[in-house]
């Protein structure tokens, strides 16, 4: 009996064990609760259309399309001229090139072109060697000039200058629309107006309400009237050789101040609901 009482744990040790058990149990429940919260955290994945269906599971949708356009004209042309002079003496070749450019500049100014719209590039020179000898036979000087014009008459003057001088070549003409951004916005606005007219028709005819939830647009691109005409002729006669005055009129770039059409395709997605 004495030995049994001696081996029995003391009351203080028993209390410590009970307290430790309670603490461990509390920690376990806390960790379990945290892990449950972490595992229960929702996570949404999927494409925009799938997420839209999840957020609006009972909403029916429809999409309306329309193409808008804005017709305008190119109002600016950047014309590139190349001046090429050659002489046995480099100084003489440079002088001739400079005088020729000054003559053209004065002629353009007299016709109404502003000096700020005339820009000359730095010249380049290259020696021309003969078959024998190390000394150049002549020196060729090349200089380039760009002229910004806004009138068909100025384009004709530049063409005439190039025709009358063998040392001047009209090498490139780039036509631009200075109001391009504004015209693109008008094309988009035109497309959206058509969509909203469709919306009004459907709402009245079907006694429904259409609420916009998404808008998409395609690239807005310009079409030159001459390109469109050539494209239609090609579709009508794909095997025909299209000639005008002995020259092929099919071209990818406008050759004069011409009409340009900006086209925009828009689509709007609507939620369909019965009219209340």
């Amino acid at each position: 009996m004495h030995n049994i009482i001696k081996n029995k744990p003391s009351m203080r040790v028993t209390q410590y064990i009970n307290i430790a058990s309670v603490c461990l149990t509390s920690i376990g429940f806390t960790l379990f609760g945290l892990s449950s919260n972490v595992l229960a955290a929702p996570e949404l994945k999927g494409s925009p259309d799938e997420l839209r269906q999840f957020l609006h599971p009972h909403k029916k949708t429809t999409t309306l399309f329309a193409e808008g356009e804005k017709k305008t004209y190119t109002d600016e042309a950047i014309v590139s001229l190349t001046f090429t002079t050659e002489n046995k003496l480099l100084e003489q070749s440079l002088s001739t090139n400079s005088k020729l450019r000054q003559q053209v500049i004065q002629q353009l100014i007299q016709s109404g072109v502003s000096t700020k719209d005339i820009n000359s590039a730095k010249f380049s020179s290259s020696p021309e060697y003969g078959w024998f000898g190390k000394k150049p036979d002549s020196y060729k000087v090349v200089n380039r000039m760009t002229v910004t014009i806004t009138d068909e008459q100025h384009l004709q003057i530049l063409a005439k200058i190039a025709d009358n001088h063998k040392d001047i070549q009209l090498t490139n003409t780039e036509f631009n629309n200075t109001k391009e951004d504004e015209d693109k916005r008008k094309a988009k606005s035109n497309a959206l107006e058509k969509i909203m007219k469709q919306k009004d028709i459907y709402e009245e005819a079907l006694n429904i309400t259409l609420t916009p939830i998404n808008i998409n647009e395609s690239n807005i691109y310009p079409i030159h009237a001459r390109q469109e005409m050539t494209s239609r002729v090609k579709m009508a006669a794909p095997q025909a050789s299209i000639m005008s005055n002995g020259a092929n009129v099919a071209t990818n770039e406008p050759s004069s101040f011409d009409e340009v059409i900006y086209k925009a395709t828009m689509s709007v997605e609507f939620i369909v609901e019965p009219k209340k």
Side-chain angles (χ1 to χ4, degrees), residues 6 63 67 117 138 145 154 157 182 194 225 262 270 272:
K6 185 178 181 180
T63 302
E67 184 180 75
D117 294 327
S138 63
M145 177 187 295
H154 293 152
I157 291 173
E182 179 182 348
K194 292 180 179 179
Y262 292 93
F270 297 87
V272 183

Side-chain angles (χ1 to χ4, degrees), residues 63-66 184-185 187-189 191-192 195 214-221 263-269:
T63 302
L64 301 181
F65 298 84
K184 286 183 176 181
R185 285 195 296 270
K188 290 168 58 176
S189 177
L192 289 174
I195 290 176
N214 191 29
I215 300 176
N216 291 307
E217 65 177 62
S218 63
N219 292 330
I220 304 175
Y221 54 93
K263 293 193 175 184
T265 302
M266 306 286 293
S267 66
V268 179
E269 186 178 8

Side-chain angles (χ1 to χ4, degrees), residues 21-158:
S21 299
V22 172
C23 291
L24 289 174
T25 303
S26 300
I27 293 172
F29 278 115
T30 302
L31 292 176
F32 178 76
L34 289 175
S35 61
S36 299
N37 290 334
V38 172
L39 293 174
E43 182 179 3
L44 296 178
K45 290 184 178 180
S47 66
D49 290 335
E50 292 171 341
L51 292 175
R52 191 180 300 111
Q53 291 298 324
F54 178 81
L55 296 174
H56 307 283
H58 304 294
K59 302 291 185 180
K60 294 183 178 180
T61 63
T62 186
T63 302
L64 301 181
F65 298 84
E67 184 180 75
E69 65 178 34
K70 176 64 174 73
K71 294 182 179 180
T72 185
Y73 286 85
T74 52
D75 57 358
E76 177 186 86
I78 301 176
V79 183
S80 299
L81 298 175
T82 301
F83 298 78
T84 306
T85 54
E86 188 172 356
N87 196 280
K88 291 183 178 180
L89 300 176
L90 176 59
E91 181 183 4
Q92 186 63 40
S93 185
L94 288 168
S95 177
T96 302
N97 196 293
S98 178
K99 289 179 181 179
L100 190 58
R101 284 185 287 110
Q102 289 302 318
Q103 291 175 7
V104 172
I105 290 173
Q106 290 302 318
Q107 189 173 349
L108 292 173
I109 292 175
Q110 291 174 4
S111 67
V113 179
S114 175
T115 54
K116 67 180 179 62
D117 294 327
I118 304 173
N119 298 286
S120 293
K122 294 181 179 180
F123 75 91
S124 64
S125 63
S126 59
E128 302 293 323
Y129 294 92
W131 288 100
F132 304 99
K134 297 181 179 180
K135 188 175 181 180
D137 291 343
S138 63
Y139 293 90
K140 181 183 291 185
V141 174
V142 179
N143 203 313
R144 292 173 177 80
M145 177 187 295
T146 59
V147 184
T148 302
I149 59 175
T150 57
D151 193 292
E152 184 82 28
Q153 182 182 358
H154 293 152
L155 182 60
Q156 295 174 1
I157 291 173
L158 288 167

